[in-house]
Amino acid sequence: MNILFTADKHYLNHIYECIESFLRFPVLEGYDIYIFHSDCTEEDIRQFELKIDNRANIHFIFVDPEKFSDFPDNKRYPKLIYYRIYAAQFLPEELDRILYLDGDIVVINPLDELYQTDFEDNYFCASTHVGKMLKKVNQLRLGIKEEVDYINSGVLLMNLQALREYQKPEEALTYALEKSKYLSLPDQDVITALYGNKTKMIDTLKYNLSDRIMTLHNTKAGNQKIDLNWIRENGVIIHYFGKNKPWNKSYIGKLNIFYEELKAEIEGNPFDLEKNEIQESHKTNPIGQMLEYNRQRFIKHELMSNEFLDFMNHNREPFDRLMTYYRCAIMEVETKFKVLNEEYSLQYDRNPIENIKSRVKSPDSLIRKIRTKDIPLSLEAVEENIRDIAGIRVICSFLDDVYMLAEALLKQDDITLIEMKDYIHNPKPSGYRSLHLIVEIPIFLQNEKRNMKVEVQIRTLSMDCWASLEHKLRYKKDLSEKQLEELAFELEECANLSASLDERMQNIRQQLAESHQEETDYVTKNVRGLLTIPKKLGIESGGLHDKGNK
């Protein structure tokens, strides 16, 4: 059985774990494992082969990254993702089919049935991972026919014979460059657009299951719900696609149990399923009742004690004064942005700022942060350790306005940058995007000057709309765990669409600016030409002159 991976050297460990998962199900012909790479050293390869220990045939195939230098990429999706599209060119000619797997996969049952699937003249066998709404969005975005499903490229059974015969080497690059502005998941977009009508769809629940897909399936009216028992009996491939990885502590869902079981087998430690189920059902444990009793007792006997009330009264005035200082700092920073907006309006005939919002953290929010960060209960400690008590949010029209305003603010000599976090180029796992600055600015009081910290968030209208709706939806109290999981998936997809919208609007603006500049240059050139005509005709400011009398 031929299995294919693509990997850089930093992902080899997860590929090894995936291989271990299907080696639990031996096949008569054995496994031949091919790994496309561009940066693995001889030592990396040797160590990897030692781990497999002759239980499968390992073939590392070097792919020259220069062959893919023209393909569009980004930090999250490097050019490596395109290698699988050209698998037929890099693999031995005697291979007629191969199963490509992403490294974030755990195989929980034999692959034989999938591997022997009849292609029926198709190039690929694959599944989809999106619902009807996103399917329609992808059709419009990629310009594909309505009947074509969007393909998840993490599990691809490849018809190498057909690809060698019919695939045109240049078509993937041509399409990627033409549609570069609209690509969201580049390799999947290209495969869907070019080969979606030559792909046989396979059962997603069996061969490409994730927590998101399970949640979408179970919450759809009329579907027979699936659980872990059904998956153990019927499922084959668990795919942890997206940012929700089972090796991260922040994993959301139930299917990480299959990864935990695999890790326990690799490390030789039996996985305690009963203990795991107890941890999942901790909410029904009597210990919870005891904790609630102690919480209520602490509120009554400590937070309502005379000593605590005296502490609050004693610190009330200094606290109010400190909050006033933060409000003054907000006014200083807000004024700077208003001045910049006026300057750009005068100089460039446009306003880069759509709106400015500001706030000072409420006492409740401050107390929660003090407790979370374990900060000493003093105003000095609060001022030193909590840097976002004062906050300003600047909403811009276009993406380049964000960085232009940030640069203009930081150039001012009374502004000191403390910290910058760029969630636009490095979005949060939820999909959140914005540029965050912690700056220090002086405020001038009656008898003193104080340096105050202010958090500045700069984002586009699209980013702000997404963040606002995400906050309202995510923190609804009446949603079940399954609904929250489905919501997280939809929100991340919407964040990707929002990012694509920002880029497209920026490109439109750039095109209009370039067109306007061309017109301006043309008019200027022709006006200058007209101004030279009087001199050529001997016309000066005083009228016509006889050259002979000069």
Side-chain angles (χ1 to χ4, degrees):
M1 185 180 293
N2 303 316
I3 308 291
L4 174 64
F5 296 95
T6 60
D8 61 34
K9 62 190 303 180
H10 303 294
Y11 214 69
L12 282 177
N13 187 55
H14 297 307
I15 288 178
Y16 164 70
E17 292 168 344
C18 178
I19 292 172
E20 286 287 0
S21 72
F22 61 74
L23 286 180
R24 297 179 293 183
F25 310 102
V27 292
L28 185 63
E29 68 274 25
Y31 290 101
D32 277 274
I33 299 168
Y34 297 84
I35 301 175
F36 291 163
H37 75 98
S38 295
D39 65 349
C40 295
T41 65
E42 291 184 4
E43 180 61 19
D44 294 329
I45 295 171
R46 189 182 72 84
Q47 291 294 334
F48 191 88
E49 291 174 340
L50 284 175
K51 284 184 178 181
I52 301 302
D53 193 25
N54 296 320
R55 290 173 292 157
N57 299 316
I58 306 295
H59 313 274
F60 277 83
I61 297 178
F62 175 79
V63 177
D64 185 358
E66 287 300 313
K67 293 183 178 180
F68 295 85
S69 59
D70 293 330
F71 278 85
D73 65 346
N74 54 50
K75 290 183 179 179
R76 187 176 178 188
Y77 300 107
K79 299 182 191 300
L80 187 78
I81 62 175
Y82 297 105
Y83 292 3
R84 75 196 75 178
I85 299 175
Y86 293 94
Q89 296 185 26
F90 300 131
L91 290 166
E93 290 191 5
E94 62 268 20
L95 303 186
D96 61 347
R97 67 173 58 206
I98 197 165
L99 176 61
Y100 172 84
L101 298 177
D102 273 350
D104 53 358
I105 276 174
V106 171
V107 178
I108 62 172
N109 275 310
L111 294 167
D112 304 64
E113 183 179 347
L114 170 61
Y115 191 77
Q116 297 301 332
T117 300
D118 186 354
F119 285 110
E120 299 176 359
D121 296 326
N122 289 293
Y123 299 167
F124 300 101
C125 294
S127 66
T128 187
H129 66 290
V130 301
K132 289 183 178 179
M133 182 183 74
L134 286 177
K135 177 182 176 181
K136 187 66 177 177
V137 170
N138 288 324
Q139 287 169 350
L140 295 171
R141 180 170 61 87
L142 302 176
I144 55 179
K145 295 181 179 179
E146 188 173 347
E147 64 270 15
V148 174
D149 287 299
Y150 187 78
I151 294 168
N152 183 288
S153 62
V155 179
L156 283 176
L157 185 63
M158 300 182 173
N159 185 347
L160 297 178
Q161 287 183 333
L163 287 169
R164 290 190 191 101
E165 186 172 355
Y166 299 111
Q167 187 182 39
K168 299 176 182 177
E170 71 283 356
E171 60 188 356
L173 175 59
T174 301
Y175 180 84
L177 292 177
E178 287 178 355
K179 295 287 186 177
S180 60
K181 299 176 184 177
Y182 310 107
L183 299 183
S184 176
L185 303 170
D187 59 319
Q188 295 183 164
D189 290 345
V190 171
I191 292 173
T192 300
L194 295 181
Y195 313 118
N197 61 345
K198 295 295 290 182
T199 299
K200 180 178 181 178
M201 303 309 293
I202 55 178
D203 189 344
T204 302
L205 297 182
K206 287 182 66 175
Y207 298 121
N208 206 0
L209 184 63
S210 71
D211 268 293
R212 294 175 180 175
I213 290 172
M214 183 171 71
T215 299
L216 288 171
H217 174 84
N218 286 343
T219 54
K220 186 176 181 181
N223 281 352
Q224 183 178 353
K225 291 180 171 54
I226 63 174
D227 55 17
L228 292 179
N229 290 329
W230 183 94
I231 296 169
R232 290 184 188 280
E233 184 175 346
N234 300 282
V236 176
I237 293 174
I238 308 297
H239 188 187
Y240 304 100
F241 57 80
K243 298 178 182 178
N244 194 27
K245 303 300 185 188
W247 48 81
N248 294 332
K249 292 182 180 179
S250 58
Y251 184 85
I252 300 173
K254 299 178 179 179
L255 299 187
N256 61 325
I257 187 173
F258 295 104
Y259 177 79
E260 296 296 337
E261 290 173 353
L262 173 65
K263 286 285 289 183
E265 288 183 36
I266 293 172
E267 296 168 3
N269 300 319
F271 185 78
D272 192 341
L273 180 61
E274 182 178 354
K275 179 180 177 182
N276 187 69
E277 289 174 345
I278 290 173
Q279 290 173 348
E280 287 292 324
S281 60
H282 67 88
K283 292 181 181 179
T284 61
N285 197 297
I287 294 175
Q289 298 176 6
M290 182 182 69
L291 292 174
E292 178 61 22
Y293 168 78
N294 286 331
R295 187 180 74 86
Q296 294 291 340
R297 186 175 182 277
F298 174 77
I299 292 172
K300 291 177 182 178
H301 294 278
E302 300 296 336
L303 295 187
M304 293 183 179
S305 67
N306 291 332
E307 292 80 5
F308 185 78
L309 294 175
D310 288 342
F311 170 83
M312 291 297 293
N313 289 329
H314 178 72
N315 285 279
R316 179 62 182 266
E317 185 179 345
F319 176 82
D320 288 345
R321 189 183 307 118
L322 180 62
M323 294 302 105
T324 299
Y325 294 161
Y326 278 115
R327 282 191 286 272
C328 292
I330 285 175
M331 287 188 282
E332 292 282 356
V333 177
E334 192 169 353
T335 299
K336 288 180 177 294
F337 279 113
K338 288 180 178 178
V339 169
L340 288 171
N341 202 40
E342 286 295 321
E343 180 190 7
Y344 275 87
S345 176
L346 181 64
Q347 188 171 352
Y348 300 107
D349 195 27
R350 73 178 188 87
N351 297 96
I353 298 176
E354 294 285 342
N355 192 14
I356 299 177
K357 305 174 185 177
S358 63
R359 64 100 182 98
V360 174
K361 271 190 182 296
S362 67
D364 289 346
S365 180
L366 268 179
I367 289 171
R368 282 195 294 271
K369 199 144 195 175
I370 289 168
R371 185 169 57 234
T372 301
K373 299 182 72 172
D374 195 22
I375 296 170
L377 200 59
S378 71
L379 294 180
E380 293 79 9
V382 168
E383 189 174 0
E384 177 65 28
N385 293 283
I386 301 180
R387 302 191 291 187
D388 62 344
I389 296 175
I392 284 185
R393 183 173 299 149
V394 181
I395 315 301
C396 302
S397 306
F398 297 98
L399 197 57
D400 62 354
D401 291 336
V402 173
Y403 295 100
M404 177 271 292
L405 286 170
E407 183 180 5
L409 176 70
L410 296 177
K411 281 181 179 178
Q412 302 187 24
D413 55 14
D414 58 344
I415 291 285
T416 302
L417 177 64
I418 305 298
E419 184 181 24
M420 176 188 292
K421 291 184 178 179
D422 191 344
Y423 294 118
I424 297 176
H425 287 108
N426 300 289
K428 290 185 177 182
S430 64
Y432 174 85
R433 297 162 59 245
S434 183
L435 180 66
H436 286 201
L437 309 173
I438 303 293
V439 300
E440 193 171 68
I441 185 170
I443 61 170
F444 295 89
L445 306 169
Q446 183 178 357
N447 297 312
E448 64 174 322
K449 180 181 82 170
R450 288 180 63 99
N451 290 320
M452 305 300 297
K453 296 183 182 71
V454 179
E455 181 190 48
V456 180
Q457 299 178 1
I458 313 178
R459 59 177 66 156
T460 64
L461 283 165
S462 174
M463 296 173 196
D464 189 60
C465 177
W466 182 92
S468 177
L469 293 176
E470 189 264 355
H471 182 80
K472 291 177 182 178
L473 294 173
R474 187 179 291 277
Y475 294 99
K476 280 186 173 291
K477 304 298 183 183
D478 55 347
L479 296 180
S480 66
E481 183 180 346
K482 291 179 179 178
Q483 288 173 318
L484 286 172
E485 291 175 12
E486 180 182 4
L487 179 63
F489 168 67
E490 293 293 343
L491 285 170
E492 185 178 352
E493 293 294 327
C494 289
N496 291 333
L497 294 173
S498 171
S500 177
L501 175 63
D502 271 336
E503 291 178 4
R504 292 177 67 181
M505 295 301 292
Q506 179 67 46
N507 289 332
I508 291 171
R509 177 193 166 186
Q510 185 65 33
Q511 290 171 12
L512 291 174
E514 290 172 358
S515 175
H516 177 72
Q517 186 61 45
E518 288 176 2
E519 291 177 4
T520 303
D521 293 345
Y522 175 79
V523 171
T524 302
K525 179 180 178 182
N526 283 276
V527 168
R528 286 175 179 169
L530 289 170
L531 292 175
T532 64
I533 292 175
K535 288 187 178 181
K536 293 178 180 178
L537 296 176
I539 302 173
E540 296 182 359
S541 58
L544 287 171
H545 292 269
D546 183 1
K547 293 182 180 180
N549 296 327
K550 280 184 124 181

